[in-house]
Amino acid sequence: NIPQSIIVKEMLPILKKNPGYLTRKNMEVLAGNKKISPYSINWKKYSRGVPFTIREKPGKNNSLGLVKFLFPNHFNIYMHDTPAKYLFEQTNRAFSHGCIRLSEPEKLANYLLRNDTSITPEKIKEWMNAGEEKYVRVKPSVPVFIGYFTAWVSHDGKLNFRNDIYGHDQKLAAEVFGK
């Protein structure tokens, strides 16, 4: 499901001109559980979000790749595969909307499901390439902790800084030091 923030910032301007964009991108519109035609919607009347779910269907060209790993959080962040494997060769790899792209998601799936003897690596590969959704709950659950650091001290005592792609440092500085 496409987050409203992406719908508003990126999709609505396109949909106002061409509702066929969704079909071309292998997406569908849902009102509740009912599929509706993107051509039946007056996209021009929306600017702050839409009262529909826009969903990208599974498949090899899905933006999230062949597998995604959901975990509880308030930010709509998860780990996922990508069809854009070339991005892993880039120096700057901050191309997502906040999610975490995985270079080897099948290995992670195999690792997380290793204790379930009914799920084999072959079964995981089959599910990933089936072109349809399959939900699998990891048991026992695995805690997920995500750290975002723009400054840290390395093991050899050197202070390191990196670009703050999300702008958190500026917000923190305003909180700590005022405007």
Side-chain angles (χ1 to χ4, degrees):
N1 295 342
I2 312 300
Q4 286 289 326
S5 59
I6 295 173
I7 292 171
V8 170
K9 292 177 188 169
E10 298 176 28
M11 297 176 77
L12 271 177
I14 297 168
L15 292 170
K16 288 175 181 181
K17 296 175 186 169
N18 179 15
Y21 168 82
L22 294 176
T23 304
R24 196 173 72 251
K25 292 292 187 175
N26 198 31
M27 295 185 193
E28 59 191 5
V29 181
L30 302 169
N33 289 328
K34 182 182 175 202
K35 292 180 190 176
I36 57 175
S37 168
Y39 294 99
S40 68
I41 299 167
N42 179 5
W43 296 104
K44 292 180 178 158
K45 76 178 193 178
Y46 301 107
S47 60
R48 295 188 174 164
V50 298
F52 314 105
T53 298
I54 298 178
R55 176 182 176 272
E56 187 173 5
K57 294 188 262 184
K60 63 182 176 112
N61 294 319
N62 184 292
S63 301
L64 304 181
L66 298 176
V67 63
K68 71 180 176 181
F69 300 88
L70 300 173
F71 49 90
N73 68 87
H74 304 295
F75 306 105
N76 230 4
I77 296 173
Y78 33 85
M79 294 182 273
H80 64 82
D81 183 20
T82 179
K85 303 289 188 197
Y86 69 92
L87 293 175
F88 291 109
E89 299 168 9
Q90 305 297 313
T91 302
N92 177 356
R93 292 181 30 195
F95 298 107
S96 81
H97 291 91
C99 289
I100 302 161
R101 278 195 179 103
L102 301 171
S103 62
E104 299 185 74
E106 189 175 341
K107 282 186 178 180
L108 180 59
N110 280 307
Y111 177 77
L112 291 173
L113 298 170
R114 71 192 182 283
N115 294 325
D116 187 333
T117 56
S118 69
I119 302 175
T120 64
E122 294 76 25
K123 181 61 81 179
I124 291 170
K125 185 182 281 296
E126 178 186 321
W127 287 340
M128 287 176 63
N129 292 289
E132 58 188 47
E133 289 179 298
K134 170 76 174 169
Y135 291 89
V136 178
R137 185 171 296 277
V138 175
K139 295 178 187 173
S141 63
V142 176
V144 176
F145 299 92
I146 299 173
Y148 175 74
F149 299 98
T150 58
W152 71 93
V153 177
S154 60
H155 67 284
D156 58 357
K158 291 185 181 174
L159 183 58
N160 288 264
F161 294 97
R162 296 297 183 271
N163 289 336
D164 177 20
I165 60 172
Y166 298 112
H168 295 322
D169 289 346
Q170 186 175 356
K171 292 175 195 168
L172 179 61
E175 287 288 323
V176 173
F177 303 111
K179 295 184 182 188

